[in-house]
Amino acid sequence: MMDNFFHVHTIDQVFDLIQDFPRVDVETLSIDQALDHVLAKDFAAPEDLPDFPRATMDGYAVRAASTFGATESNPALLTLTGIIDMGQKPDFSVGIGEAARIATGGMLPEGADAVVMIEYTDPVDDDTIEVYKSVAPGTHVVAIGEDFSKHDVLIPAGKRLRPQEIGLLAAFGIQTVHAYRKPRIGIISTGDEIVPIHEIPGPGKIRDINTYTLSGLVASSGAIPVSFGLVADHFETLQHICERALNEMDMVLVSGGSSVGTRDFTIQALSAIPDSHLLVHGIAISPGKPTILAKCGNKAFWGLPGHVVSAMVVFLKIVKPWIDHISGMTHSTSGRLTIPAVLTRNVPSVHGRTDYIRVRLFEQDNTRWAEPILGKSGLINTMVRSDGLIEIGMNTEGLNQGTVVAVEMM
């Protein structure tokens, strides 16, 4: 259990371990319950969408050839063959020199291949219209299969379902899907100095922040946060809470107690838990070096730094990909949005570790700038004022002012 005690790992070495952790179970969900779940099986189109040609404008369904050469001074005269009712299949066809009144979404009759907008027509009498603009085949028409073709894979397994994917499933009449259930993530805040947020802290005390920041980060990652409350620096109590959380949850996060101080009991509590193995104690990153990763049974147990900024950065860069993995997401679908910006000042870093710098974005002189927000890892203002993070690689000794950086949005 103690073999990896503060033996610093690189980020790549940590992520090499991710495949050793299984995904959560798959369940059958109705699509109105499937939002933010990860699809467990490729979804292929069971039919063409749409499966009939339909109009995208109000006007007249025509054969495009009937309008060729039509202008305001030389309009085409077309004979009306009928009116197409919404939601109905036309029981007539349209030939050369003919037209049928149609509304947006209506089904084109046999023979029609375009729609002339009503703005470019005038009635001559009850049976005839003038057309003042020529149209090409396919104008203002959605063709059969133009949205999606039958058998095409539309949603790959490992994709998190957003509202647009739910709408796509509904468009095909899909009522249920096989998806991974949302992982339940236990959150434990430790430390004699931590008090509940409804209390006024006494000397040397601070309110619990990490329970709330980590819960928000877990929820925004598509998982379910479950707080196990505050635990004082007491070995037996922490061990009991950790065991209960591991029995009930799919992953456990403990904030505080990950450093090498004499009152940090997380390692001791882990050592006493059956079938637990310390995999990582120390990652070559800043902030967040004293992070713990253990495997307890087949579940990940994280010891995060107590400082709020360190805990949040470690979550965003290290823990979230783990949640994505056990949620069923594939690597190709779990990336975060990055945007380019120009660094406003020099930023130093230490060779041999990966640094994550909080930055504020702003526009000036038609340029997007990234302003470093520097400060100690216990100061939450540096996260509140930031829009994202930039990474300085472990083999890079700082970045110079004017460097174009990739800002990972938070």
Side-chain angles (χ1 to χ4, degrees), residues 178-194:
H178 296 296
Y180 294 94
R181 64 175 176 80
K182 289 188 176 185
R184 291 167 57 82
I185 312 298
I187 298 170
I188 303 168
S189 286
T190 68
D192 287 341
E193 75 280 15
I194 308 297

Side-chain angles (χ1 to χ4, degrees), residues 281-344:
H281 187 198
I283 305 176
I285 60 174
S286 177
K289 179 180 179 180
T291 297
I292 292 169
L293 169 61
K295 188 176 184 182
C296 301
N298 61 0
K299 299 176 182 180
F301 179 104
W302 295 94
L304 305 182
H307 285 156
V308 59
V309 174
S310 298
M312 292 184 74
V313 170
V314 170
F315 183 97
L316 291 168
K317 298 306 302 179
I318 309 294
V319 178
K320 184 182 184 304
W322 239 266
I323 294 178
D324 290 343
H325 169 73
I326 69 169
S327 299
M329 290 183 69
T330 60
H331 179 73
S332 61
T333 60
S334 61
R336 294 178 65 84
L337 174 66
T338 61
I339 61 173
V342 179
L343 204 57
T344 62

Side-chain angles (χ1 to χ4, degrees), residues 19-262:
Q19 296 302 326
D20 294 335
F21 292 82
R23 291 182 164 90
V24 295
D25 300 329
V26 174
E27 56 188 357
T28 301
L29 297 170
S30 63
I31 65 167
D32 59 354
Q33 299 174 321
L35 184 67
D36 280 340
H37 287 261
V38 177
L39 197 65
K41 181 180 178 182
D42 288 349
F43 172 70
E47 59 195 34
D48 290 324
L49 187 71
D51 59 359
F52 64 90
R54 66 184 187 212
T56 63
M57 293 286 181
D58 293 344
Y60 293 90
V62 298
R63 287 196 186 183
S66 300
T67 70
F68 291 170
T71 64
E72 290 189 13
S73 60
N74 185 31
L77 293 175
L78 303 183
T79 301
L80 292 176
T81 60
I83 298 175
I84 300 165
D85 294 325
M86 287 295 296
Q88 300 296 317
K89 180 179 180 179
D91 57 1
F92 57 87
S93 62
V94 168
I96 290 291
E98 296 180 333
R101 187 75 170 87
I102 195 168
T104 301
M107 180 177 181
L108 267 67
E110 187 79 21
D113 61 6
V115 171
V116 178
M117 292 172 61
I118 196 167
E119 293 92 321
Y120 300 114
T121 67
D122 273 328
V124 176
D125 53 39
D126 291 343
D127 300 317
T128 310
I129 62 168
E130 291 181 327
V131 176
Y132 298 104
K133 184 176 182 180
S134 64
V135 292
T139 300
H140 305 314
V141 171
V142 175
I144 293 174
E146 185 174 330
D147 206 351
F148 296 106
S149 297
K150 186 176 181 179
H151 302 312
D152 284 353
V153 174
L154 309 185
I155 312 174
K159 173 77 172 179
R160 192 178 298 282
L161 297 174
R162 303 170 297 171
Q164 47 268 53
E165 280 82 33
I166 299 298
L168 174 60
L169 294 167
F172 285 102
I174 304 301
Q175 299 180 56
T176 60
V177 293
H178 296 296
Y180 294 94
R181 64 175 176 80
K182 289 188 176 185
R184 291 167 57 82
I185 312 298
I187 298 170
I188 303 168
S189 286
T190 68
D192 287 341
E193 75 280 15
I194 308 297
V195 299
I197 62 171
H198 61 269
E199 291 187 12
I200 297 175
K205 304 284 188 178
I206 59 172
R207 290 189 176 94
D208 175 27
I209 299 175
N210 287 345
T211 292
Y212 298 92
T213 54
L214 292 174
S215 292
L217 289 167
V218 167
S220 67
S221 301
I224 300 171
V226 179
S227 173
F228 284 77
L230 302 180
V231 181
D233 290 323
H234 185 268
F235 164 66
E236 288 81 6
T237 302
L238 180 59
Q239 179 192 350
H240 171 73
I241 295 296
C242 288
E243 287 186 342
R244 181 162 71 88
L246 284 165
N247 286 333
E248 298 175 8
M249 300 289 109
D250 300 297
M251 182 186 293
V252 176
L253 313 179
V254 175
S255 67
S258 63
S259 71
V260 293
T262 57

